[in-house]
Amino acid sequence: MKLNPFNTRIGLALGGGAAKGIAHIGVLKAFEEEQIRIHCISGTSVGALVASYHAFGRPAESILSICSELNLSKILDFTLKRGGLFSTNSIREMIHRDLGDCRIEDANIPLAICATDIETGEQLIFRNGNLADAVCASMAVPGLFVPVEIDGRILVDGGLVENVPISPLAEMGAGIIVAVDLSHVGRYPKPEDTLDVISNAINIGIDFNTRKQLKKADIAVPLDLSGYSLTNNADRVEELYLEGYRPMKKKIRQVLWYKRWNVVISLIKAAGALLPFKVPEILKGLKRLT
């Protein structure tokens, strides 16, 4: 949070997690029920897709209608192109069908979509440009999907750099940052073959970075969805939806507390940064009184 005691604008970061992204919709429903406005939103991978639908005015119940398509069997288009086994054409077509051939800057809610330059390792944050291009790039899992080229840059899944895209939100004016992590697991699946070993290794690296990045959020919503599939949860849509809805409903009180006590929190943070001695622990504990 920036040290602006009067900034209570809420920024929401939705992380990657493939078919587990249905849980994000439950998070959005919790905000809607409490009539808490989201002032800006960012997304990586499947989080970019859900964030886009919300930013362009789709309510949570409406977004649920696309859940049957959040599985690999429906979005995989085999291709002979180099760089991946499948194209992102189905994702592009879905966005065009539901939202149109639109631009990011035209969203009702300020929107940021994160991707990774596979040549430089740099994070790219899209706040303008073609929506479908940016979302497809953010969802292009390396080795699985063909990378997406935008302005001469070869782009893949944004989760390689920042799986829960907290960093864009402060620049977008957020004073309170809420971050939803779909990959907060305590143990990874026992590997059965070489591919499982590689998959676990990649996920461990991404999750390690994500845990450090989540410390920058004011309110983190870590979800352990290890019991769900990365590829297809079409038969567990309602269950997975509630996995996001219930924890966010519990956290809503903390969001409201932040809005009411933002001045006090900002002063404490400023004191901690400026004073040569530590702020008493009792003051630091204010955040936990929720």
Side-chain angles (χ1 to χ4, degrees), residues 18-23 25 46 49-50 63-64 66-75 94 139 229-234:
K20 299 177 183 181
I22 294 168
I25 305 169
V46 70
L49 182 67
V50 176
I63 302 174
L64 264 179
I66 70 167
C67 286
S68 61
E69 299 179 54
L70 287 180
N71 65 78
L72 289 183
S73 65
K74 292 200 174 185
I75 66 172
M94 183 170 67
M139 295 185 71
S229 171
L230 281 168
T231 59
N232 187 357
N233 293 296

Side-chain angles (χ1 to χ4, degrees), residues 95-159:
I95 293 171
H96 285 173
R97 180 198 69 204
D98 295 335
L99 302 178
D101 187 10
C102 49
R103 296 182 63 81
I104 298 168
E105 61 267 31
D106 294 331
N108 300 337
I109 300 172
L111 169 66
I113 295 171
C114 300
T116 303
D117 186 319
I118 197 62
E119 293 183 294
T120 66
E122 180 185 0
Q123 180 188 47
L124 266 70
I125 300 172
F126 291 95
R127 293 183 57 190
N128 52 58
N130 184 272
L131 176 69
D133 286 347
V135 173
C136 286
S138 186
M139 295 185 71
V141 178
L144 186 63
F145 289 103
V146 175
V148 175
E149 184 174 346
I150 300 178
D151 296 332
R153 306 189 73 163
I154 309 302
L155 306 179
V156 297
D157 195 324

